[in-house]
Amino acid sequence: MSPMHTTLRRATTVAALAAAGVLTAAGAAFAHVTVHPETYAKGATDGVLTFRVPNEEDTAATTKVQVFLPTDHPILGVLVSPQDGWTAQVTTTKLKTPVKTDDGTITDAVSQITWTGGRIRHGQYQDFNVAFGQLPEDADKLTFKTLQTYSDGNVVRWIEEAQKGQDEPENPAPVLQLTAKGTAEGGGSTAAPAGTGEKPSAGTTKTAATSDSTARGLGIAGLVVGVLGLAAAGFTLARGRTAGSSGTSHPSSSE
């Protein structure tokens, strides 16, 4: 095998492996269950949380979603938005420590919401909207452990919590960061997410194509193009060397 063919094969292999690694990492990131917005002010009232559930399987559809709400720092006044094709079952739990409000003492809070009956197919995601009356004031974040069940019986447990100084876990739980009062527009008791005056739109099944995924896709495409550019440069260099070798004159033996 010629040096040019060997160099070209090696460059192509490196490019393919690098591109596959980038795309695999990106696919894993897109598959995470997330909560939107990512931040709210502590004690915010009359707002909406959107749980975004993408389908990560090529051959199975998501048929059940279970979201567990924290009860050590309970969310008060939870209401579930109707979803076409989905049935929501709400589970309440008696609180170990009742919460005192201006309207009285709250002894029970929603601890779990289960959606069934619908289907999230490959290349799609579903937004599940949950309205709340008030977020806790005594927490810095809320973790929503989630179970995602597929039509083939597989269950993905989005329950892992990120630790400081460590990489993101493989199956991270959705996390809502709670910021200090007054950081959101209108103060801590605003329905708007921190830093914006908008509410999430009604949840529907959509093709996974948002501005965030578009930006990530462009970045991934740039990385792949860069890798392929390195492969092309290696091919050009190898071809130049081969051409130089074939064009080198040798002393004639005329004597």
Side-chain angles (χ1 to χ4, degrees):
M1 183 177 295
S2 67
M4 182 184 71
H5 288 166
T6 301
T7 302
L8 177 59
R9 186 179 64 176
R10 291 175 178 174
T12 303
T13 301
V14 170
L17 291 175
V22 170
L23 294 175
T24 299
F30 292 149
H32 293 173
V33 174
T34 53
V35 61
H36 302 273
E38 297 178 350
T39 62
Y40 250 116
K42 294 181 179 180
T45 59
D46 301 326
V48 175
L49 296 175
T50 299
F51 295 93
R52 178 159 295 175
V53 183
N55 184 71
E56 64 173 3
E57 296 288 347
D58 295 336
T59 59
T62 297
T63 56
K64 182 178 180 181
V65 177
Q66 298 166 269
V67 175
F68 297 86
L69 282 63
T71 55
D72 52 348
H73 301 287
I75 300 175
L76 307 181
V78 171
L79 295 174
V80 180
S81 175
Q83 301 288 121
D84 290 341
W86 294 87
T87 300
Q89 180 180 353
V90 178
T91 302
T92 59
T93 299
K94 195 169 192 64
L95 300 176
K96 294 182 179 179
T97 304
V99 179
K100 295 182 179 181
T101 69
D102 294 338
D103 298 325
T105 301
I106 306 298
T107 59
D108 299 88
V110 174
S111 58
Q112 178 181 340
I113 305 174
T114 302
W115 287 274
T116 56
R119 298 178 77 85
I120 309 173
R121 303 181 187 280
H122 174 65
Q124 296 181 333
Y125 68 85
Q126 177 75 46
D127 280 347
F128 297 95
N129 289 344
V130 176
F132 63 82
Q134 183 175 349
L135 296 178
E137 300 180 355
D138 57 349
D140 295 324
K141 66 179 181 179
L142 298 176
T143 300
F144 302 94
K145 295 183 178 181
T146 303
L147 302 184
Q148 182 179 8
T149 302
Y150 287 89
S151 55
D152 59 2
N154 183 37
V155 179
V156 180
R157 301 169 62 84
W158 303 101
I159 62 174
E160 299 175 5
E161 299 186 41
Q163 303 298 325
K164 290 184 179 180
Q166 298 182 6
D167 294 335
E168 183 182 46
E170 183 178 355
N171 295 315
V175 175
L176 176 69
Q177 300 292 337
L178 298 181
T179 60
K181 287 185 176 181
T183 56
E185 187 179 79
S189 58
T190 175
T196 178
E198 300 179 355
K199 291 183 180 180
S201 59
T204 55
T205 301
K206 304 183 181 88
T207 300
T210 62
S211 59
D212 179 62
S213 62
T214 300
R216 291 184 182 180
L218 290 174
I220 294 165
L223 289 174
V224 173
V225 169
V227 171
L228 294 178
L230 290 175
F235 168 71
T236 302
L237 179 60
R239 185 173 60 180
R241 288 179 177 177
T242 302
S245 298
S246 60
T248 301
S249 60
H250 297 278
S252 60
S253 55
S254 59
E255 296 181 359

